[in-house]
Amino acid sequence: MTQEARMQHGLPIVIAHRGASGERPEHTLAAYTLAIEQGADFIEPDLVPTRDGVLVARHENRIDDTTDVARHPEFAARRATRTIDGVEMTGWFTEDFTLAELKTLRARERLPQLRPANAAYDGRFEIPTLAEIIALAKANNVGIYPETKHPSYFASIGLPLEEKLVAQLSEAGWSDASAPVFIQSFEVANLKRLKAMTGIRLIQLVASEGGPADDAAPSYAAMLTAAGLDDIATYAYGLGPQKELLERDGADTGLVAAAHAAGLKVHPWTFRAENVFLPPADRSGSDPHATGRMADEMARLLSYGIDGFFTDFPLQGAKARDAAR
């Protein structure tokens, strides 16, 4: 059954968070390929631009933690300090590299202490482009679920994301709500711009704290009131809440039902297997790095009526999805 067929039958979809990032370095073709093999319905690339305007997959534009850039003396002078969404940071940034230069780097595991087995793959994989990810998805009949990272920041430095993203999706034949694509963002204004540019389904991301970087709302909490959800429904197809917003002390908070009442689908993020990411009741022992009972957490949130979910471990996600059938 395809991802669209599952959605038409009211079954939840599995979104491979940065690929099978619990088992391979995130945002690599290897991670996406493994996720597809494990049964993911959608693969998720976070998108940032290069200096020459090519969209590539990195969780952040600062690439110190996910590439071997620090080992390249030819790029030592590119180290810089930037303020992004109000936070000052120092490192190497994708917008200072051409695509050809980024292709000389190799990916490495972002969380090596937590996922040492992934670190064994350090140095093997390139940084993939959006075009490469689209080709992989189309060849394997899965969807993509791109996130526009820091859209206000990139617009401010002359590298807006929206036009390039819409153009590439359109070139792939994806321009309306029938496309196997969702576009997600923590910001609001860029989703509204996208709404005017494409018919592809949009997802408003919200976290348990803070608010959108474009100051379009006073807080994410305000966006989750009945009035806030109604407003989101004017431009978005669904809501992407941090999973901790959906339950409190192991009980349903009612957010899924409230979002559904506003006409929104709900795709929470992110299910991870390690204790450090699990609620206390789902942990196994006291070692934060040990594997806990992620399947129990998935089953519980599926019982609240979620329409899909992000996970670093799509094999377990696919099993939970199939059990929900």
Side-chain angles (χ1 to χ4, degrees), residues 29 36 43 129-142 144 168 172 174:
L29 291 181
I36 293 166
I43 53 177
T129 64
L130 173 60
E132 291 168 335
I133 295 164
I134 289 173
L136 178 68
K138 288 175 78 74
N140 290 277
N141 197 32
V142 299
I144 69 168
Q168 281 196 254
W174 295 337

Side-chain angles (χ1 to χ4, degrees), residues 98-155:
T98 65
L99 176 62
E101 289 171 334
L102 280 182
K103 283 292 189 179
T104 68
L105 306 181
R106 292 296 177 267
R108 64 188 184 96
E109 171 56 36
R110 186 175 60 89
L111 302 170
Q113 294 181 326
L114 187 65
R115 295 172 175 171
N118 284 13
Y121 295 93
D122 286 359
R124 298 192 191 183
F125 310 127
E126 294 182 355
I127 296 174
T129 64
L130 173 60
E132 291 168 335
I133 295 164
I134 289 173
L136 178 68
K138 288 175 78 74
N140 290 277
N141 197 32
V142 299
I144 69 168
Y145 207 122
E147 179 183 347
T148 55
K149 300 294 292 191
H150 310 297
S152 292
Y153 166 75
F154 285 119

Side-chain angles (χ1 to χ4, degrees), residues 175-293:
S175 59
D176 59 32
S178 69
V181 183
F182 295 96
I183 303 173
Q184 53 176 327
S185 180
F186 280 102
E187 294 191 21
V188 175
N190 97 295
L191 286 178
K192 290 182 176 180
R193 286 194 296 274
L194 286 163
K195 173 77 169 176
M197 298 168 65
T198 181
I200 286 172
R201 294 163 294 191
L202 308 176
I203 303 293
Q204 177 67 63
L205 299 173
V206 293
S208 58
E209 297 179 352
D214 60 357
D215 296 323
S219 66
Y220 291 125
M223 297 174 72
L224 296 179
T225 63
L229 292 170
D230 285 342
D231 182 61
I232 291 171
T234 64
Y235 61 88
Y237 172 86
L239 183 73
Q242 187 171 348
K243 64 182 173 64
E244 286 75 11
L245 289 163
L246 301 189
E247 65 175 2
R248 186 177 299 110
D249 299 325
D252 184 356
T253 63
L255 178 57
V256 176
H260 284 168
L264 296 165
K265 301 295 185 181
V266 182
H267 299 162
W269 53 273
T270 300
F271 290 100
R272 296 178 166 113
E274 297 89 358
N275 279 337
V276 67
F277 300 118
L278 289 166
D282 296 320
R283 296 172 188 165
S284 296
S286 58
D287 180 358
H289 296 176
T291 298
R293 296 181 296 278

